[in-house]
């Protein structure tokens, strides 16, 4: 007579596999021994060994040759098989598309940047396909091997559907079914998120501990994301759209280019314009030839008094615009990413000084270590999180 197995055995075995796989993930990229996994998971060694055997057979783990041991028999070690579930992250902008493929262990396999030749939806979508295709080729993968895609896009994105509701920087972009387009090509889970929200998640991931974080994505355009205790705060759906704050002295009306008042006042292009106007009043200043915001910040750091005044004006406008948000949220830190993140201490010090006069408990003001790679990092992290949720549930 065939012996009956306990009804709960398949469920327990699946749970054990998920527990062991998650423990290996926490140790990545370093390989780990069975004894270490038993200690981390609080499972018996035979149970861990069975789970590892199952995960090796399923392709989630890879086995490493034992290292020579000075005492006793060398122990076999195991690590994630990153190629089991690579993901695609996309940073979509009106001028540039960046595609990055990362494996399950977090190793970057390919990064491709492509220029958008015209600022419209058709050319942006063409650049997306081109960058994604080249990233796949460089990583040696087929589209069907990608297990999750996350795209960061400018504009207001509908939570849950990923539909772009409003994207003034890319004419016609809200008419494109980006989720459907990417899903048809990759046949996997696709998430489309506001780029500033992804930058906020990336900045929060870089930090340790809980708290409230206001992450500002600052380049030609301005956006922000709010992360509270590790979770993105969406509010009614448009939390973080600081580019539409009207700074003091801003005149009503619009330039017709879709930019918000704060973007028109202190976006990267506006900083260059302000520098050139200031230089016209001071013929000795080299700012008349400024071509980008980085030149202005470098001149200020080098002691140019005209550049220093420009930076102070920009910092004052920024601080006055976000001070109400700081008073309401009381964030522990403001982290600035995007092109302006290359500004350095000269901008941080000026912003901190102005916020000190405008708020009760000024937060620390920091530049993102990821700079212009913040959105891509956030997209990759969100895609990996999606894969891990599905993987651990289905082990």
């Amino acid at each position: 007579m065939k012996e009956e197995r306990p009804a709960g055995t398949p469920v327990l075995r699946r749970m054990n596999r998920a527990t062991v796989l998650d423990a290996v993930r926490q140790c990545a990229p370093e390989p780990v021994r069975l004894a270490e996994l038993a200690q981390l998971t609080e499972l018996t060694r035979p149970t861990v060994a069975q789970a590892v055997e199952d995960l090796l057979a399923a392709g989630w783990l890879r086995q490493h040759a034992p290292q020579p041991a000075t005492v006793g028999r060398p122990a076999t070690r195991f690590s994630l098989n990153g190629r089991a579930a690579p993901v695609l992250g996309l940073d979509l902008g009106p001028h540039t598309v960046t595609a990055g493929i990362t494996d399950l262990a977090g190793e970057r396999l390919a990064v491709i940047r492509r220029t958008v030749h015209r600022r419209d939806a058709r050319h942006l979508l063409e650049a997306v396909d081109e960058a994604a295709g080249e990233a796949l080729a460089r990583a040696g993968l087929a589209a069907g091997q990608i297990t999750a895609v996350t795209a960061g896009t400018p504009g207001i994105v509908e939570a849950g559907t990923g539909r772009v509701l409003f994207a003034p920087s890319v004419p016609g972009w809200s008419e494109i079914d980006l989720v459907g387009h990417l899903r048809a090509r990759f046949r996997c889970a696709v998430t489309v998120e506001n780029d500033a929200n992804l930058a906020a998640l990336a900045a929060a991931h870089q930090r340790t501990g809980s708290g409230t974080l206001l992450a500002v994505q600052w380049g030609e355009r301005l956006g922000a994301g709010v992360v509270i205790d590790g979770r993105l705060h969406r509010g009614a759906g448009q939390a973080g759209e600081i580019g539409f704050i009207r700074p003091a002295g801003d005149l009503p009306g619009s330039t017709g280019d879709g930019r918000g008042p704060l973007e028109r006042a202190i976006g990267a292009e506006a900083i260059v314009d302000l520098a050139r106007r200031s230089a016209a009043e001071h013929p000795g200043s080299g700012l008349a030839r400024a071509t980008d915001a980085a030149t202005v910040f470098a001149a200020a750091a080098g002691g140019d008094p005209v550049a220093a005044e420009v930076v102070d004006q920009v910092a004052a406008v920024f601080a006055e615009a976000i001070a109400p948000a700081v008073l309401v949220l009381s964030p522990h830190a403001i982290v600035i990413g995007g092109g302006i993140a290359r500004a350095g201490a000269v901008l941080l010090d000026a912003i901190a000084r102005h916020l000190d006069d405008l708020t009760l408990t000024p937060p620390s003001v920091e530049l993102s270590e990821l700079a212009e790679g913040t959105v891509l990092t956030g997209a990759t992290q969100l895609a990996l999180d999606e894969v891990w949720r599905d993987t651990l549930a289905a082990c």
Side-chain angles (χ1 to χ4, degrees), residues 240-296:
E241 292 294 336
I242 64 171
F244 291 91
I245 293 174
R246 189 177 300 281
D250 186 72
L251 298 176
S254 169
T255 61
D257 60 3
R259 289 183 296 169
L262 190 61
E263 293 170 328
R264 296 200 306 269
I266 58 169
E269 183 180 325
I271 294 172
V272 174
D273 290 341
L274 177 59
R276 288 176 174 172
R277 290 198 304 270
S278 298
E281 300 174 5
H282 300 82
S285 172
L287 292 185
R289 297 181 298 277
T291 57
D292 55 30
T295 304
V296 180

Side-chain angles (χ1 to χ4, degrees), residues 122-217:
R122 181 174 70 84
H123 284 86
L124 177 54
L125 199 60
E126 287 176 357
V128 170
D129 289 337
E130 180 182 337
E134 291 189 32
L136 286 170
R138 182 168 296 182
L141 297 170
Q145 292 175 272
I146 298 297
T147 54
V149 178
T150 297
T153 176
I156 296 173
V157 179
E158 185 176 55
T161 69
R163 188 163 64 96
V164 179
L165 302 176
F166 178 63
S169 63
V170 184
W173 193 232
S174 59
E175 300 169 16
I176 299 294
D177 179 10
L178 183 58
V179 171
H181 180 83
L182 293 172
R183 190 175 288 151
R185 179 171 185 180
F186 294 98
R187 305 292 179 182
C188 66
V190 174
T191 301
V192 174
E193 180 60 90
N194 172 265
D195 51 6
N197 282 345
L198 291 178
L201 289 172
H205 187 71
Q206 292 287 109
R207 299 172 63 84
T208 57
S210 58
T212 300
L213 178 70
L214 178 62
V216 177
Q217 192 67 4

Side-chain angles (χ1 to χ4, degrees), residues 211-230:
T212 300
L213 178 70
L214 178 62
V216 177
Q217 192 67 4
W218 190 351
E220 180 180 334
R221 307 187 70 88
L222 272 87
V226 181
V227 177
I228 302 175
D229 293 338

Side-chain angles (χ1 to χ4, degrees), residues 12 16-17 19 42 53 64 77 99 108 120 123 144 171 193 199 232 262 272 286 313 319 331-332 340-341 352 365 395:
L12 288 174
N16 291 336
R17 286 197 297 268
T19 300
E42 298 184 346
E53 182 180 330
H64 297 260
R77 298 168 302 139
R108 189 65 56 82
D120 60 42
H123 284 86
E193 180 60 90
L232 186 67
L262 190 61
V272 174
Q313 289 181 50
H332 295 83
I340 300 300
V365 184
C395 256

Side-chain angles (χ1 to χ4, degrees), residues 80-134:
L80 289 176
N81 175 17
R83 291 275 176 160
V87 302
L88 172 67
L90 295 166
D91 177 6
L92 315 182
H95 303 295
T96 306
V97 168
T98 305
I101 295 179
T102 303
D103 73 10
L104 188 65
E107 179 183 350
R108 189 65 56 82
L109 304 178
V111 176
I112 298 292
R113 291 180 176 83
R114 286 293 170 262
T115 300
V116 181
H117 298 294
R118 289 183 57 187
R119 189 185 289 197
D120 60 42
R122 181 174 70 84
H123 284 86
L124 177 54
L125 199 60
E126 287 176 357
V128 170
D129 289 337
E130 180 182 337
E134 291 189 32

